[in-house]
Amino acid sequence: MKTKQLSKFITSILTLCLAIAFVIKFAGPNILRQYISYGIGECKNIPILCMQPDEKLFSPVISPEYLAILVPQKFPKMSISAPKGFTLVQELIKKVYYKKRHVFNQATIYLLRQEPFAFIKLYPDVQKQGVKDNYEFIRRLMYANLKNVENITDAFFVIMKSVFTPDIGNQSTAKMIRFTINDKSGYINYTMAKPVNYFDCNVLDAQGNFFKVYIKDTGAQLDLNKVYGILSTIKPVD
């Protein structure tokens, strides 16, 4: 997951939204929803477009024993502790942590960090809609729902939701939750169906940094408690 590619792709989507804004301004919400459905997909084939996080706020208890077996790793933009057997990738940097006999292991953790106000700098127009920081941007994105699109701003966040959500397996069984861990909070979209679990973690710290931690858990080694343990170790590196 490359920051430059992500930014370029998202900027292209934003440009598309602005280009069609005049056409759809007077067409009404129904036409706008249909436009998105034709261009991206509908809820029946992309369920995440009509899903929202569970209203229950999860405050997990992190196991010190599990944290003790994680391997601390430092990248140019962030540090994190991860379980053995996973390949860690931040942009073009890759670190592999498994023995030669596990060379075909595809378990991978992809990492991305955006600094405070990064999304506002990329899309300053969203400030007019009350989006003032990374947390509000991600909150609006996670709660975006194709069925509730009423204007171009709603459409923008639905489109962004499709861009920001990587492969999480069978979306019909996916779950979305919001959580808090010490000084961090955020949202996790996940599916747990052997032989592969998927965890799309969107994490914000108290300083406003945004971290995307996408875990492809080949072999289904992890559960939510272990994922929370991994996320609790995230730190920005400047």
Side-chain angles (χ1 to χ4, degrees):
M1 186 180 296
K2 302 175 183 178
T3 304
K4 290 184 179 179
Q5 291 181 345
L6 178 62
S7 299
K8 183 178 180 181
F9 188 62
I10 296 175
T11 302
S12 298
I13 294 294
L14 177 60
T15 302
L16 175 62
C17 288
L18 296 175
I20 66 173
F22 178 80
V23 177
I24 64 176
K25 183 175 181 179
F26 302 103
N30 289 334
I31 298 299
L32 182 53
R33 287 192 288 267
Q34 290 177 21
Y35 184 91
I36 297 173
S37 297
Y38 293 146
I40 298 177
E42 300 178 336
C43 300
K44 63 181 179 181
N45 61 319
I46 309 180
I48 200 78
L49 295 180
C50 294
M51 293 177 60
Q52 294 180 318
D54 191 313
E55 284 304 310
K56 180 180 178 181
L57 179 63
F58 288 84
S59 299
V61 177
I62 308 300
S63 167
E65 291 77 16
Y66 183 68
L67 292 179
I69 67 172
L70 297 178
V71 181
Q73 301 300 335
K74 186 176 181 180
F75 289 84
K77 295 183 178 180
M78 61 185 291
S79 64
I80 190 171
S81 295
K84 296 179 180 179
F86 282 78
T87 295
L88 274 67
V89 181
Q90 179 189 282
E91 301 179 28
L92 298 178
I93 303 171
K94 179 184 292 188
K95 296 184 179 182
V96 182
Y97 301 103
Y98 49 77
K99 296 181 180 180
K100 290 184 177 179
R101 66 174 179 272
H102 296 146
V103 70
F104 298 110
N105 191 326
Q106 298 296 313
T108 308
I109 299 177
Y110 296 92
L111 307 170
L112 173 70
R113 176 197 168 194
Q114 293 283 12
E115 296 179 352
F117 305 105
F119 295 120
I120 308 306
K121 294 175 182 177
L122 282 174
Y123 323 110
D125 283 352
V126 298
Q127 295 183 70
K128 300 175 183 178
Q129 306 302 322
V131 181
K132 303 299 184 181
D133 53 30
N134 284 348
Y135 183 86
E136 180 61 18
F137 186 95
I138 296 300
R139 189 193 71 80
R140 290 285 297 271
L141 187 148
M142 290 298 159
Y143 281 91
N145 189 321
L146 178 58
K147 294 179 181 178
N148 298 333
V149 169
E150 296 290 334
N151 51 51
I152 189 63
T153 301
D154 294 340
F156 169 77
F157 280 105
V158 169
I159 294 171
M160 289 296 96
K161 191 174 188 177
S162 71
V163 173
F164 269 69
T165 306
D167 177 20
I168 54 173
N170 184 358
Q171 287 192 8
S172 64
T173 63
K175 295 183 179 180
M176 301 179 67
I177 56 176
R178 60 192 185 103
F179 69 90
T180 178
I181 307 174
N182 300 326
D183 65 334
K184 300 180 181 66
S185 61
Y187 305 87
I188 301 178
N189 310 318
Y190 70 96
T191 56
M192 298 180 65
K194 294 181 179 180
V196 183
N197 293 338
Y198 296 90
F199 302 92
D200 170 34
C201 309
N202 301 275
V203 185
L204 296 113
D205 66 13
Q207 290 72 45
N209 291 290
F210 168 76
F211 304 91
K212 167 78 83 171
V213 180
Y214 170 56
I215 304 174
K216 181 180 179 181
D217 178 23
T218 303
Q221 305 174 48
L222 305 179
D223 56 24
L224 275 177
N225 287 329
K226 292 179 178 178
V227 170
Y228 285 132
I230 295 169
L231 299 182
S232 71
T233 68
I234 293 174
K235 294 181 180 178
V237 173
D238 296 312

